């Protein structure tokens, strides 16, 4: 079974704050994910997105006086509630508005992956897994998120998230 967190950059003016509409929009985006990924307007993380968030939480350990912008790349923003007529099988959805996208991009641009990994990496390598391979996977996710949020922030876009199971 494959589970992914799918992120899509979109102009805030194009978003309808309606779960049914947004689920259809994100489903179409998921169907076009390879093209949208290549265009730099989409990103996805397989079932380890919670662990990527745990990696970013190490930023609070590194700098206790820092703001909480480490929370934004994975779980930031607000959930979109199911409307009365929404299909309950539609995925969980969230929206991170442009100011939050800019904060997430700023955090990802300034944080040191190596410092985060030194604090949190040992907890992210599961028994029997090759540490170098796991580190590379997380580094690839980090670099992907850096680019994605950087482009979205530069365009003034919001980011919509869906979890596909």
């Amino acid at each position: 079974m494959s589970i992914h967190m799918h992120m899509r950059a979109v102009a805030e003016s194009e978003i309808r704050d309606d779960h049914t509409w947004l689920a259809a929009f994100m489903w179409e985006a998921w169907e076009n994910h390879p093209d949208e990924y290549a265009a730099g307007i989409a990103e996805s993380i397989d079932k380890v997105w919670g662990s990527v968030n745990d990696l970013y939480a190490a930023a609070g350990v590194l700098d206790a006086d820092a703001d909480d912008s480490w929370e934004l790349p994975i779980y930031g923003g607000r959930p979109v509630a199911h409307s009365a007529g929404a299909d309950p099988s539609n995925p969980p959805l969230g929206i991170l508005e442009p100011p939050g996208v800019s904060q997430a991009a700023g955090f990802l641009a300034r944080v040191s992956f190596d410092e985060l990994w030194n604090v949190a990496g040992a907890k992210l390598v599961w028994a029997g897994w090759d540490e170098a391979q796991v580190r590379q996977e997380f580094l690839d996710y980090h670099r992907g998120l850096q680019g994605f949020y950087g482009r979205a922030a530069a365009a003034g876009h919001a980011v919509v998230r869906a979890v596909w199971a």
Side-chain angles (χ1 to χ4, degrees):
M1 178 181 199
S2 182
I3 300 174
H4 287 85
M5 177 179 277
H6 171 212
M7 292 164 264
R8 172 63 157 75
V10 61
E12 190 174 27
S13 63
E14 295 177 23
I15 298 171
R16 289 189 204 163
D17 201 357
D18 172 87
H19 196 281
T20 300
W21 181 89
L22 202 53
F25 170 82
M26 289 301 286
W27 178 250
E28 184 177 339
W30 186 245
E31 290 290 306
N32 297 315
H33 186 63
D35 293 334
E36 292 189 350
Y37 179 84
I41 59 172
E43 187 68 25
S44 62
I45 300 176
D46 70 8
K47 59 189 167 197
V48 300
W49 69 81
S51 295
V52 174
N53 188 70
D54 293 344
L55 175 71
Y56 293 151
V61 173
L62 293 170
D63 185 359
D65 294 329
D67 64 16
D68 291 335
S69 59
W70 66 266
E71 297 174 342
L72 297 172
I74 305 299
Y75 295 125
R78 62 180 172 79
V80 178
H82 280 76
S83 57
D87 180 349
S89 68
N90 280 341
L93 299 169
I95 299 173
L96 182 61
E97 294 169 346
V101 171
S102 292
Q103 285 181 287
F107 165 75
L108 292 167
R110 71 180 172 271
V111 71
S112 164
F113 176 84
D114 290 332
E115 289 179 11
L116 294 175
W117 188 260
N118 287 340
V119 171
K123 297 173 194 159
L124 303 175
V125 179
W126 308 283
W129 289 73
D130 177 60
E131 181 177 354
Q133 183 179 356
V134 173
R135 183 186 187 284
Q136 186 61 51
E137 179 181 354
F138 278 82
L139 179 58
D140 291 345
Y141 284 131
H142 177 67
R143 287 179 177 159
L145 289 168
Q146 277 181 317
F148 171 73
Y149 275 102
R151 288 184 298 275
H157 285 166
V159 168
V160 178
R161 286 185 317 279
V163 175
W164 302 111

